[in-house]
Amino acid sequence: MVTALPSPLPPPPAVAPRRRRRGLVAVLIAIPLVVVLLIAAAAIWFATNSGRPTPPQAGSVSFDQPLLIPEIAPSRLEGGVRVYELEARQDSTRFVSQGDTPTLGYNGSYLGPTLMAERGERVRVDIANSLAETTTVHWHGMHVPAAMDGGPHSPIAPGTTWHPEWLIDQPAASLWYHPHLHGETREQVDAGLAGMFIVQDEVEAALDLPRDYGIDDIPVIVQDRSFGPDGAFSGGLGMQFDGVLGETILVNGTVAPYFEASTELVRLRLLNGSSARMYDFTFADGREFALIGSDGGLLSEPVTASSVPLSPGERAEIVVALTPGERVVLRSQAPDPALHAGGAAFDVLELRAAASLASSPELPRTLVDLPAPDAADAVTERSFVMSGHEINDREMDLGRADFTATVDTSEIWTVRNENPLPHSFHVHDTQFRVLSVDGADPPARLSGWKDTIALEWNREYRLLVRFEDYADATTPYMYHCHLLWHEDQGMMGQFLVVEPGQEPDLKRPEGDSDDHHDH
């Protein structure tokens, strides 16, 4: 008897090994991708930190130089127009013991005088260029006709004088002026061409705020520089992506400065005048202060704060309380890690309170009427993505208007930095309002008028931008990263503001024939 063998089991389905193979393949693909990402992240960290020049460690500076206070620019009235004179000149300045530093300045060897004007005044600035190179003067934060804005379309050739004239028509604010020559902005600003422009108005004047210039109302222009063995400015890009950073902090052109305060309250008009470095201003003892203003003017009410971050070009007005005989250090703490802008803390300025201080009025609880931004009448929305040295995958072209806006309309702009590296965003002519940051209400420090913001990686800012008063179909305004090396490399665009129905007719600056950015 033969016993039948059982039928063989059916072969296992072929799908399983394929799935296993596919899983193995996926793992094999994922491993090198993860490695690449880790290497990229390490490279970014290395590039942004290992070669980063850093000022002396916090607490190690011996403040031994009195803070220089820029003089107020003299002016005269001509036919109802207030006239100032600026001369861009080459000179030298003694910053360090190694020797004199070749510098540029307005009406002096380094930096420039503080211009002051009242809202409602018509002003003219006669700017003589005594340099051996072309320059421009841009009024950063000023509401001004495009032809007077001082961007790259308004070059001032050596030996010539430019005469911009306009009506001051914006709230009291701490603004500034500096060159804006296409491809050369960083070099000229770093050499010393910069100064403050303070706008005053009746609303601010009626408030009990410190405003005695040089006594309890102090300009604080913060810059970082490096010096060579002969005293000349030195330093280069090194390994960092930001631009040129320095190991020495200057305030109003003073190394290791102290200010002798004689009043209970002191108003500091902080300006990040550096070309690349991010600051986060605080006090060494952690004390709180009142933040009263941002780029475009006063906030609705004083905001109690213990720090205020500023990217290049940003301003803030703070009021700090002092007690007789104390010393307190204004310091920059490590910036927000999302900026990837280094992790160093360092000292900036020492405030030395006199043994007896003049009394100061208590700060008002409210400052100015600042209604919440209303985007209901915005006529369009635009998106701006910062990456590499491009905005929306484009580099700067002086012969191209990237878009056209209509005068007396508002727009919503969404701005995002898709690099894990520091950028900022500055718009000429208009002061905008921040509607939201990643969908949430902006922090109090960003609740007022702004013209410059820092951009952290993948953080989305929605801005309400309005174009008022001025239309010019031929001369553009700029928008750009205010890390000046990025700007010079082409991280900038142009827009025209026209009358309803008017056709744009952009004119390229005389002598410029580039079809694309090539600096």
Side-chain angles (χ1 to χ4, degrees), residues 325-354:
E326 73 169 334
R327 295 187 178 189
V328 60
V329 172
L330 179 68
R331 175 173 291 173
S332 177
Q333 63 186 6
D336 183 342
L339 285 167
H340 295 272
F346 48 85
D347 295 335
V348 175
L349 167 69
E350 184 179 66
L351 302 180
R352 297 181 179 179

Side-chain angles (χ1 to χ4, degrees), residues 338-423:
L339 285 167
H340 295 272
F346 48 85
D347 295 335
V348 175
L349 167 69
E350 184 179 66
L351 302 180
R352 297 181 179 179
S356 177
L357 297 175
S359 61
S360 301
E362 183 178 349
L363 287 181
R365 294 186 178 183
T366 61
L367 297 172
V368 296
D369 183 19
L370 195 62
D374 182 4
D377 64 346
V379 298
T380 192
E381 297 198 20
R382 304 185 193 275
S383 178
F384 301 85
V385 177
M386 319 285 279
S387 60
H389 293 143
E390 298 177 331
I391 303 177
N392 293 344
D393 298 322
R394 283 178 149 183
E395 290 188 352
M396 173 66 170
D397 179 353
L398 285 172
R400 182 191 71 230
D402 294 276
F403 64 89
T404 300
T406 303
V407 71
D408 294 327
T409 66
S410 299
E411 299 183 355
I412 297 173
W413 291 9
T414 300
V415 187
R416 181 171 56 84
N417 172 14
E418 71 173 15
N419 288 143
L421 297 164
H423 288 306

Side-chain angles (χ1 to χ4, degrees), residues 7-44:
S7 301
L9 293 174
V15 174
R18 284 200 197 102
R19 287 178 176 166
R20 285 195 295 270
R21 285 197 296 271
R22 287 174 184 168
L24 180 59
V25 169
V27 171
L28 292 174
I29 291 173
I31 289 173
L33 283 176
V34 171
V35 172
V36 168
L37 290 174
L38 289 174
I39 292 173
I44 289 169

